[in-house]
Each structure stands twice: as structure tokens, then as C-alpha cells.
Amino acid sequence: MDIAGARRSLAGLLVTWCLTRVILLLFVYKVWIFPGPDVTSDVSVIYQGWYEVLRTGAFPRGDVTWQYPPAAALAILSPALLPFLQYASAFFVLACVADLAVLALLLYAGLRPGKSLRGAWMWVAGVPLIGPTVYARYDVMVTAVTVAGLLAGARRPRVMGVLVGFAAMLKVWPALLLLGARKRAAWAWTAGTVAVVAGLFAVSMPGAFSFLTFQSNRGTEVESLGSLVFHVARHFGWDGRVLFHYGSIEFVGPWVNAVSSAALFLTGVAFGWLLLWRLMATRFLPSTLADAAFTAVLMFTVTSRVISPQYMVWLVGLGAVCVCFRGTRMGLPALLVLAACLVTVLEFPLWFQHVVASDLLGVTLLILRNGLLVVAAVCAAVQLWRSTVSGEPVPPLPAQATRTKETSASS
């Protein structure tokens, strides 16, 4: 092992993380003003409003923008841990701490035998590409818990189950990590954790599951794949409107329900494919658990009625875990996700007014960003199938290849 090279790489990682995160903090604290809409208003207005309600011991049942599982209350209440700071300032600090926690987890994993620091580099580079939105949403906190659970999966399925169950009660998507889990303990502990957390909130705070109704009533958000139908249709006389609806900017008007239903159908198709893959898979490599999680979340993100910018942090975190493994086949999809992150910050917040207006620039950015995600999802699905289901031989890991050569030479 090149100790000096490893130290230089580690030093470069830490310096790059510090520099980029200082820049992000300068933006969210408005020392520097990032162009476009103010992305911090969700924290200073919406989150803080929820905080005032949650601290009374109840969920904001009358607020249709509350569309999260009950444990999300803990993320919204977390700034109380720093009472010497104002709410928004405390939230940004805790978001940065969660970001650092993901880096620490990826460094720990990357320095182990058979692993790589590519995952840590992907996280360090990917987060700032999304822009200051990362620190102005609680998704980075959910990603930290999810990355910890995914990295624990191979050796400690019970720990994975607890972490995945808790993360799923923060936001539902981490439950997809179980698709690649082979050990029943992971499933059992996830179910137990969800039951305990849900039960505690149900008996202690009224309105714990009101989010289910609000979520089901969502339409087609202007950044989603399905929204491209209406962005184009507006140029041909479609008489719908763009409104702030159920917590996001959505299309409202003729055929919106049909497109939203089509998105739900595609989500069902994606889930069916994932179940088929799980039934057909015969080879589970060290990276398969992470590869399957990355593929599943990619597919569900692409087919969702909503593709908010903060969703990209999920994909960066899961992609980073994948490329920690030297034998992963998710290198290309991970690069495509990084490219999609760069386009995402251009469409929101930088030129979001063009997206809302459905003009040439806005539609082009959406086609490019969503196209990159679609290609990434298809590539990931193909590679996952080839490495675990098809008869194509799997190349040995570098360490395995070295041992094979040594064995041949000695014989």
C-alpha cells in the first residue's frame, strides 16, 4: 500500500470538503447571495412554523405541506439541541454535521480492505454540485442515517434493520434498501423498529399519520419527468396553470390526474421489476446490497410525481456507498448522477423562473436533468441484472485476482 499516496488523498479530501462546505454555509447564512429564489425560506418559514406546532406535542394536521412520516418531527425539532442559536442557524449547523457524518462513514469504509476512497470523493464533490439547497432541507440528515445502515448491512444486519427502520420513519424511501438484503434479521429488525417508532408517535402525538392523506393528493410537480408533457403542451394551447399546491410548484388543469396516474403506474412497473430481480438473482457480491439500493431509489425517483432538488442528495449518498466497493458496476450511473446534480442546480434555484415559465431554457434543462436520471436508472438496472442474474462471468476483485496469481505461481 502507498502510505504517502493514501495520506495525500485523505488530506485532499478533507481540504476539499472544508472549502466547499464553507462556501455552502456562506450561501445559506446569506453572507453571499446565491442567484434565484431563496432556498433557505423552507427552514426559516415552513420548518420553523412546524417547529412551533410540534413543540406543543402535536403534528401540524391542518397543514397540507406536512407530508412526512412521524419521525420527521425529530429532524424539525433538532435545532433545539443548539438553543444558543436561532432556529435557521442551528438547522444549518446540524445539516453540516450530518454532511460530515456521511464523509466520516465513507472514509471509514473506504480505508478498509477491498474498498476505495472513490465513495468519499463522490460525496465531497456531489453535495456542493446540488448547491445550498442541501443544507436547507433535512434530507441530508436522512441520508446520513441511510448510509450508516447500508454500510452496516453486510456484517451487522440487525444494526442495518434498526437504522433503515428509523430512516424510513424519517422519509419513506430508505425502506427500499431492504430489496437487496438477504438476511432475515435485517427485515425483522426494520419491521420492529418501524412498529415501535410508529406506535410511540401514535400514542404520544395526535396527527402522526395525517401525512398519508396529504401525500396521496399531490399532483405533477414542475420538475418531474411527467411534467415535460405539460411544459411542451403549454406551447400548443394547453390551458392549465402552475400553482403552489400541496407544498410544491405543480401543474393544475386538464389531464394532470392522468399524467400523475401514469407516473404511479410506472412506479408500480419499477417495483415489479425489482421484485422480479430479487426472485431471479442468484449471485450476491459484496457490492450487491448497495447496488440494489442505488438502483431502486434511482428508479423510484425517476418515476415519481415529484423530483425535488433535494432528492439528488439521496442518490449521491447511495452512489457513493456503491463506488466504495472496488467490484461495483455502478460507476457510470454514479457519474451520470453527478452530472444530473450540476444540471439540477442550474434549473433550481439558478434559472427556476425559466422552468416555471416553460420557456426554451427551462424545458431544455429539465430534459437534460431528467434524461440523465433516466439513463442512469436504466444503466444501473442493466448492470445489476448482469452482475447477479445473467450468466455473464463476474470479474474477480483485485485482491482475489492477486491471490489467484500467487496460488498459480506457487503450484
Side-chain angles (χ1 to χ4, degrees):
M1 179 184 292
D2 183 0
I3 302 298
R7 287 177 178 174
R8 284 195 298 270
S9 181
L10 186 59
L13 267 169
L14 296 176
V15 169
T16 305
W17 185 89
C18 290
L19 290 175
T20 53
R21 275 44 179 191
V22 166
I23 292 172
L24 288 179
L25 288 171
L26 288 173
F27 280 129
V28 294
Y29 281 114
K30 298 182 182 178
V31 177
W32 296 345
I33 303 300
F34 200 86
D38 180 12
V39 300
T40 66
S41 61
D42 274 31
V43 176
S44 58
V45 178
I46 298 176
Y47 283 15
Q48 189 163 0
W50 291 340
Y51 172 82
E52 298 299 334
V53 175
L54 290 167
R55 65 191 301 190
T56 66
F59 284 91
R61 289 177 290 180
D63 188 346
V64 296
T65 61
W66 176 263
Q67 300 175 12
Y68 308 106
L74 301 178
I76 303 303
L77 291 168
S78 63
L81 297 171
L82 303 175
F84 47 88
L85 293 176
Q86 293 183 346
Y87 182 88
S89 297
F91 186 91
F92 301 145
V93 169
L94 293 173
C96 185
V97 170
D99 177 4
L100 181 59
V102 176
L103 176 63
L105 289 165
L106 293 170
L107 284 175
Y108 176 77
L111 293 172
R112 296 178 65 84
K115 302 293 197 308
S116 168
L117 288 176
R118 291 180 303 169
W121 273 112
M122 180 174 176
W123 179 257
V124 169
V127 167
L129 287 178
I130 306 171
T133 305
V134 172
Y135 282 3
R137 306 291 187 272
Y138 82 92
D139 296 78
V140 67
M141 302 175 184
V142 183
T143 302
V145 179
T146 305
V147 167
L150 195 53
L151 289 172
R155 295 172 177 266
R156 300 176 179 87
R158 295 180 179 180
V159 174
M160 176 187 175
V162 171
L163 291 172
V164 168
F166 180 67
M169 295 304 290
L170 288 167
K171 270 204 168 179
V172 177
W173 68 266
L176 294 170
L177 270 63
L178 292 175
L179 284 168
R182 300 183 67 192
K183 297 180 180 179
R184 294 179 181 177
W187 289 79
W189 281 78
T190 297
T193 301
V194 168
V196 169
V197 173
L200 288 174
F201 277 104
V203 299
S204 62
M205 294 180 69
F209 297 97
S210 60
F211 78 97
L212 294 171
T213 300
F214 300 150
Q215 186 64 240
S216 65
N217 290 331
R218 298 196 74 163
T220 297
E221 189 253 351
V222 295
E223 297 165 277
S224 65
L225 183 62
S227 74
L228 289 170
V229 173
F230 301 112
H231 283 293
V232 174
R234 291 176 85 181
H235 294 275
F236 294 91
W238 181 71
D239 60 353
R241 294 175 296 165
V242 175
L243 298 175
F244 184 76
H245 191 241
Y246 283 95
S248 64
I249 307 297
E250 297 181 356
F251 282 112
V252 177
W255 300 104
V256 171
N257 288 338
V259 171
S260 296
S261 297
L264 290 173
F265 173 76
L266 290 176
T267 299
V269 171
F271 187 67
W273 184 90
L274 289 164
L275 287 179
L276 177 63
W277 165 78
R278 190 64 177 82
L279 292 171
M280 297 290 291
T282 56
R283 292 177 297 180
F284 286 81
L285 308 173
S287 65
T288 298
L289 179 63
D291 292 349
F294 181 50
T295 302
V297 175
L298 256 175
M299 295 176 76
F300 275 79
T301 300
V302 166
T303 59
S304 175
R305 294 170 294 171
V306 179
I307 306 181
S308 297
Q310 62 267 25
Y311 292 9
M312 300 304 297
V313 74
W314 315 344
L315 300 175
V316 173
L318 296 179
V321 176
C322 289
V323 298
C324 277
F325 294 89
R326 296 185 184 275
T328 186
R329 293 191 174 191
M330 296 297 153
L332 177 58
L335 288 175
L336 291 171
V337 164
L338 290 180
C341 289
L342 179 58
V343 183
T344 296
V345 79
L346 296 178
E347 63 92 359
F348 183 90
L350 193 59
W351 288 320
F352 190 59
Q353 71 272 21
H354 295 280
V355 173
V356 174
S358 301
D359 63 20
L360 180 60
L361 177 57
V363 174
T364 300
L365 288 172
L366 282 183
I367 290 174
L368 184 56
R369 194 282 299 272
N370 292 342
L372 286 167
L373 290 179
V374 169
V375 174
V378 172
C379 287
V382 169
Q383 294 301 328
L384 180 65
W385 188 276
R386 285 179 175 176
S387 64
T388 58
V389 177
S390 71
E392 182 180 331
V394 179
L397 297 177
Q400 294 174 330
T402 302
R403 286 196 296 270
T404 301
K405 290 180 181 179
E406 292 173 352
T407 303
S408 300
S410 62
S411 59

